[in-house]
Amino acid sequence: MPEARTIDDTLPIHGRGQVGTPWWGMLCLIATEGSIFAYLIFAYAYLGSQGLGSWPPNGPPDLKLAVPATLLLVGSSFVLEWGKRAANRGDRERGLFGVGAALLLGGAFVALELFEWSTKPFALPDNSYSSIYFMLTGTHLVHVVVGLFALLVLFIWTFDGRVQGAHVQHRALATLYWHFVDIVWLFVFTTIYLSPRLT
Amino acid sequence: MATLPLSRPDAPPASPQPPDIVQKLDAIWGERSDLRGWFSTVDHKTIGIRYIVTAFAFLLIGGVEALIMRIQLARPGATVLSPEQYNQLFSMHGVTMIFLYSLPMLSGFSNYLWPLMLGSRDMAYPRLNALSYWIFLASGLFLYISFPFGQAPNSGWFNYVPQAGRDQNPGMNIDIYALGLTFFGISTTVGSVNFIVTLLRMRAPGMSVNRLPILVWGTLTASVANIFAVPAVSLASVLLWLDRNAGTHFFDVSGGGQPMLWQHLFWLFGHPWVYALVLPAMGIVSDALPIHCRRPLVGYTPVAMATVATMVVGLGVWVHHMFAVGAPPLALSFFSAASFVIAIPSTVALFAWIGTIATGRVQVTTPFLFFAGFIMLFVIGGVSGVMTASVALDWQLTDTYFVVAHLHYVLLGINLFPVIGGIYHWFPKVTGRMMSERLGHWSFWTIFVGFNLAFFPMHVLGLYGMPRRVWTYPAGMGFDLPNAIISGGAFILAIGILLFLINVIKSATSGPRAGPDPWAGSTLEWSIPSPPPSFNFAVIPLLASRHPLWEDHLKKSEERTIFDSGFLLDEGKETLAVTPLDGQPSVILKMPGDSLLPGLLAAALFVFFVGLLVRSDWLSTTAGAAVAIVLVMWFQPTKQPQDQERVRVYA
Ligand code: HEM
Ligand SMILES: [Cu+2]
């Protein structure tokens, strides 16, 4: 007669990082959001290649603000990753510092980007270039803001002691999303700022 | 491979249901029975049924719209409808059938069946599952709120610009379409993520990839495609909405925009999507047809590969919808050739089904009839599809009734027939009762005859040159008789659907009891009681072959699937996750309980989109904040997570 019993073997619960279900879900989310950017870049190239006038109409955009913004954003990924690894080892202070620094650097990126918007000689409804310029950078900006919101919540939860040493998943997901936002920026940057300089 | 005896000589190897364990598990997994329980349930079976019922309601709504169109078109020069009403009717009919019926219906099947077929207790993300249903419902309501006001979308389901632009279409109609589709896209996306991760993790031990049912392959393939394709239409819709409401120039030529950009983005999505509407349905046939032929599917591996191959090719052929708008000849030849290639995997599947019927011992049950009808319509739809994939013919046929005939043969033939056959097939599992076979045969023949009367003459009309999307036609052009036949056929088809509905309703309350396995099926869902208990499997089975319930009959398989001992996992709401490829036990998952958050999130998103529609900043901002709050609550960490757990087994 079979019966229910507890055996000596154990299985991990949920699993960590790569082996947890949330990790795979985040990868799917990144794939689908990455596709949005791929289609936006396709739209940029299509509008540019089919239009009759010069593209961009006012010549390649200035790099003065975009390059420092890029450095800030890429830098934020590195501190965040460093902080995450420290926090996973149980070092709460460094973990907090990593998230906090990423928040500041990401916030500075947003400020620079908004400032650059305000210096543009054109507005959203002017023509197809202005439309796609604001749409592409704007969609990215929205992703940065969502990422910042996630990091802020993570910061508060960590500070509050709600996310502790073993809450690997929460850190892993927020960090992964933030890296994604950064890498996408490199594509946006190449499209908007570098590609017009190639011709 | 040998066929099986007509019925099983020995008792099926059912999974054990020890009463004390059943009671304990049911207390953990069962739903609350009050109103709150109704809104907060995350059980994949309940969600699957809700998906099916809701999608069926949309099928009926879309069907009524079609019948009204057919009344208008039954004779020349009729004025039952105004042109504007006709525009809204065919647009909403197309949008309803394509978005609110076809895919959600298949999602319902998969939601219900996947965990049962895979040997799991739930989907990977139960709350996300509930969310995808609530958003589906909310976006459907969103698309329909405009209908009573005569403001429904009116530029067809692919909604071409510039007709859909502000200049030519100043009302709210197109804003509803653009926002509604974006909203609906969220549902598809989260649903697809759920299927993908469920496949990777939520299988019984031993359920390796070469043992997956074909339905699982179909839905998986469709889900992967959706992940990449849905953003294209969501983006296109947002751009259109901005063009109409913020003065941007993405599609509007006056500021350097390109109407063709709409077509590219739309069909980059639209073409893969039509495969998403048929591959899971073909999976239903591949899994259920063999049971009524009493033998395993011929060519399991080629069929599984063909499913994936169809989608891979399908992602690259969107331009065949744009042959007539002017593209370079080289592009035309390339996309035409690529479109022909798709016929190859479809033919593989076709021969597999025909081979299964030819070498099996066919039982002419109602599900079998629907699947056989499907195969015939599949051939006709395939042939007319190859015709429209040829550029020269397409230039003649595009935007005529030939295309309307083709798309209905494909969509009804490859989606509706398998779906109805599938409902007849799995009804006993879901309700514990059999459907009436006599009424079933009647419903099949009425649907089949009505269908062919309604749609076959459309080929002829198309060859005569009757354009689609016209609200009426002059007498004496040879259009009169075919149109009269078509309208008659449409009503016969509708009667057939009614017979089916009557059968469902009657059998659900008074059909004879089915028992766990009335068809002597081969896959895991038939090893548990009908209807399945809240926790699905009391003991998680250990798979040893592709046909766990037929092992005694198929000499080839040596190992035996183990049903009566194995992982028990009854310390709370938990299930087992396996390694992605070979399905070895790897972790215990603690599953989330019922929750109101998915419904609240969908409601907040609904308000958000209404805010955008009526251009009320405070409404959409408030709703946006509500979305953020719900998301924070959703991801709220639990108390100190536990790292490991002793395994509970039944042995
Ligand atoms: C009773 C069954 C049905 C009848 C009588 C019917 C009839 C029609 C008619 C009269 C049109 C308009 C043709 C035109 O003016 O161009 C149409 C369009 C269409 N139908 Fe159906 N239909 C039926 C079921 C379905 C189903 C089940 C689906 C999909 C699963 C479907 C998908 C479509 C689509 C996508 C269009 C094109 C809409 C557009 O032009 O934007 N139909 N149908
Ligand atoms: Cu296509």
Side-chain angles (χ1 to χ4, degrees):
Chain A
M1 191 58 189
E3 54 174 322
R5 57 193 168 86
T6 309
I7 57 176
D8 281 342
D9 283 345
T10 59
L11 273 181
I13 290 182
H14 289 306
R16 302 188 148 225
Q18 265 88 327
V19 295
T21 44
W23 175 269
W24 295 100
M26 184 54 92
L27 284 186
C28 291
L29 181 73
I30 285 176
T32 192
E33 299 236 50
S35 309
I36 297 183
F37 284 97
Y39 293 122
L40 271 167
I41 291 172
F42 168 79
Y44 175 94
Y46 190 79
L47 289 171
S49 69
Q50 304 290 311
L52 296 176
S54 58
W55 186 268
N58 307 331
D62 207 17
L63 292 175
K64 246 191 354 259
L65 293 168
V67 168
T70 307
L71 294 177
L72 287 177
L73 201 58
V74 171
S76 72
S77 255
F78 282 98
V79 275
L80 184 63
E81 181 67 27
W82 168 83
K84 179 193 83 175
R85 292 183 183 196
N88 284 355
R89 284 193 305 269
D91 189 335
R92 181 161 168 272
E93 268 67 45
R94 285 188 188 180
L96 270 175
F97 178 79
V99 181
L103 269 171
L104 290 180
L105 293 171
F109 173 88
V110 174
L112 271 183
E113 185 74 18
L114 288 177
F115 178 67
E116 176 162 2
W117 276 12
S118 71
T119 65
K120 288 289 170 193
F122 49 76
L124 177 72
D126 282 3
N127 52 41
S128 61
Y129 178 77
S130 66
S131 303
I132 190 73
Y133 168 81
F134 282 112
M135 186 66 197
L136 186 48
T137 53
T139 308
H140 180 260
L141 207 58
V142 168
H143 280 75
V144 177
V145 171
V146 170
L148 285 175
F149 180 70
L151 290 184
L152 182 66
V153 173
L154 180 69
F155 185 83
I156 296 172
W157 280 345
T158 314
F159 187 77
D160 207 32
R162 282 207 237 191
V163 167
Q164 308 166 351
H167 278 106
V168 182
Q169 296 283 354
H170 283 78
R171 279 190 292 271
L173 296 194
T175 311
L176 186 59
Y177 190 75
W178 188 253
H179 290 334
F180 160 69
V181 167
D182 282 5
I183 290 169
V184 162
W185 171 252
L186 296 179
F187 285 91
V188 175
F189 179 76
T190 308
T191 307
I192 300 257
Y193 294 92
L194 298 186
S195 74
R197 286 166 210 274
L198 294 178
T199 45
Chain B
M1 221 182 266
T3 54
L4 306 181
L6 283 186
S7 57
R8 184 173 278 129
D10 45 356
S15 74
Q17 304 284 326
D20 48 330
I21 293 173
V22 165
Q23 220 169 28
K24 182 173 178 195
L25 283 172
D26 204 40
I28 297 173
W29 286 84
E31 296 165 19
R32 299 162 57 127
S33 54
D34 53 4
L35 196 64
R36 175 169 175 166
W38 200 88
F39 280 108
S40 64
T41 179
V42 295
D43 182 343
H44 74 97
K45 295 183 288 297
T46 314
I47 294 170
I49 294 170
R50 284 181 188 174
Y51 252 111
I52 291 174
V53 170
T54 312
F56 202 88
F58 280 119
L59 175 75
L60 295 181
I61 295 174
V64 169
E65 287 160 357
L67 292 181
I68 300 175
M69 283 190 281
R70 280 325 309 180
I71 294 175
Q72 159 71 15
L73 292 170
R75 59 203 163 79
T79 50
V80 180
L81 297 171
S82 69
E84 174 58 25
Q85 284 172 329
Y86 188 82
N87 284 349
Q88 295 190 13
L89 273 179
F90 80 69
S91 302
M92 282 309 278
H93 167 72
V95 167
T96 305
M97 291 303 194
I98 296 276
F99 296 105
L100 304 178
Y101 157 70
S102 301
L103 195 81
M105 175 58 90
L106 298 175
S107 302
F109 269 83
S110 297
N111 260 321
Y112 190 92
L113 289 172
W114 267 45
L116 302 181
M117 287 179 147
L118 294 175
S120 170
R121 284 183 178 155
D122 209 328
M123 302 278 288
Y125 306 119
R127 290 193 298 186
L128 212 54
N129 211 11
L131 178 68
S132 81
Y133 171 75
W134 290 118
I135 295 185
F136 156 53
L137 180 66
S139 62
L141 294 178
F142 183 89
L143 280 163
Y144 265 94
I145 40 177
S146 57
F147 210 56
F149 305 104
Q151 293 272 327
N154 56 359
S155 284
W157 83 278
F158 40 80
N159 195 58
Y160 283 164
V161 288
Q163 214 182 67
R166 189 43 99 218
D167 296 342
Q168 296 191 30
N169 216 329
M172 248 186 204
N173 318 51
I174 302 301
D175 292 331
I176 302 236
Y177 175 96
L179 295 172
L181 277 203
T182 311
F183 190 15
F184 176 77
I186 303 174
S187 158
T188 312
T189 303
V190 297
S192 299
V193 171
N194 208 351
F195 283 125
I196 294 172
V197 181
T198 299
L199 177 93
L200 289 173
R201 307 289 291 171
M202 314 293 283
R203 291 173 277 136
M207 178 62 94
S208 51
V209 283
N210 58 340
R211 291 175 184 162
L212 299 176
I214 303 283
L215 171 61
V216 174
W217 279 108
T219 310
L220 174 72
T221 311
S223 301
V224 173
N226 283 338
I227 290 287
F228 295 106
V230 170
V233 75
S234 304
L235 176 65
S237 300
V238 171
L239 298 185
L240 178 65
W241 185 78
L242 287 172
D243 265 15
R244 294 172 53 85
N245 291 278
T248 54
H249 299 275
F250 293 106
F251 306 123
D252 154 35
V253 201
S254 70
Q258 293 293 333
M260 284 282 279
L261 179 60
W262 170 269
Q263 296 201 19
H264 278 295
L265 288 175
F266 187 86
W267 289 115
L268 269 163
F269 150 82
H271 188 83
W273 181 263
V274 297
Y275 288 108
L277 306 185
V278 299
L279 291 176
M282 289 159 66
I284 290 178
V285 177
S286 297
D287 288 338
L289 174 72
I291 293 178
H292 300 271
C293 298
R294 316 296 318 133
R295 59 150 301 145
L297 178 71
V298 170
Y300 168 88
T301 308
V303 172
M305 294 295 104
T307 308
V308 178
T310 306
M311 194 50 103
V312 171
V313 184
L315 282 169
V317 299
W318 74 98
V319 174
H320 68 205
H321 295 271
M322 301 159 63
F323 285 162
V325 287
L330 188 64
L332 291 187
S333 337
F334 171 78
F335 283 103
S336 177
S339 309
F340 287 130
V341 171
I342 292 210
I344 299 171
S346 312
T347 315
V348 169
L350 182 67
F351 280 117
W353 299 316
I354 294 178
T356 306
I357 295 178
T359 60
R361 283 145 132 279
V362 170
Q363 326 263 286
V364 188
T365 55
T366 308
F368 176 83
L369 286 177
F370 276 95
F371 300 143
F374 150 84
I375 293 175
M376 212 193 103
L377 305 179
F378 187 87
V379 173
I380 299 180
V383 169
S384 60
V386 172
M387 290 169 77
T388 49
S390 131
V391 176
L393 271 175
D394 185 68
W395 282 356
Q396 288 300 314
L397 299 174
T398 194
D399 281 332
T400 69
Y401 260 86
F402 192 90
V403 174
V404 184
H406 161 69
L407 76 89
H408 284 92
Y409 265 88
V410 176
L411 286 171
L412 276 95
I414 314 187
N415 182 295
L416 186 69
F417 275 65
V419 161
I420 297 193
I423 291 178
Y424 274 108
H425 179 78
W426 278 292
F427 188 87
K429 178 50 54 189
V430 176
T431 61
R433 291 177 187 274
M434 298 302 288
M435 282 176 80
S436 154
E437 275 291 303
R438 209 164 62 92
L439 206 49
H441 282 238
W442 273 99
S443 72
F444 168 76
W445 287 111
T446 326
I447 290 177
F448 190 74
V449 170
F451 173 82
N452 283 294
L453 277 179
F455 296 107
F456 199 82
M458 286 187 181
H459 292 106
V460 181
L461 270 185
L463 293 169
Y464 282 1
M466 176 160 165
R468 74 188 285 199
R469 295 180 172 174
V470 289
W471 72 297
T472 190
Y473 51 92
M477 295 187 67
F479 299 166
D480 308 10
L481 181 64
N483 269 306
I485 300 177
I486 290 171
S487 292
F491 276 88
I492 298 178
L493 170 55
I495 292 170
I497 300 279
L498 274 184
L499 288 180
F500 162 73
L501 255 186
I502 293 171
N503 200 350
V504 167
I505 293 167
K506 263 185 55 184
S507 310
T509 49
S510 59
R513 296 270 170 203
D517 189 12
W519 308 116
S522 69
T523 34
L524 282 181
E525 76 270 26
W526 302 109
S527 71
I528 53 174
S530 320
S534 54
F535 46 86
N536 297 354
F537 296 90
V539 180
I540 294 181
L542 183 62
L543 267 280
S545 78
R546 194 180 295 147
H547 304 287
L549 272 70
W550 280 3
E551 284 160 359
D552 287 339
H553 308 292
L554 303 173
K555 284 196 212 79
K556 234 180 79 179
S557 57
E558 268 134 43
E559 282 170 277
R560 290 286 177 268
T561 295
I562 300 170
F563 289 99
D564 53 2
S565 63
F567 290 96
L568 189 55
L569 305 179
D570 59 350
E571 313 252 284
K573 205 172 175 187
E574 37 183 45
T575 188
L576 190 69
V578 295
T579 50
L581 274 183
D582 32 47
Q584 292 306 308
S586 91
V587 298
I588 293 176
L589 294 180
K590 298 268 184 199
M591 305 303 277
D594 289 358
S595 161
L596 288 172
L597 292 176
L600 285 175
L601 188 53
L605 282 169
F606 183 85
V607 177
F608 175 75
F609 279 99
V610 170
L612 292 182
L613 180 68
V614 300
R615 303 189 60 175
S616 159
D617 288 344
W618 74 265
L619 197 59
S620 35
T621 315
T622 317
V627 168
I629 292 171
V630 174
L631 279 176
V632 171
M633 291 167 71
W634 190 305
F635 284 102
Q636 182 107 341
T638 45
K639 47 186 184 334
Q640 179 67 26
Q642 203 183 335
D643 244 9
Q644 314 209 307
E645 186 178 290
R646 289 278 193 77
V647 179
R648 296 260 299 156
V649 295
Y650 186 74

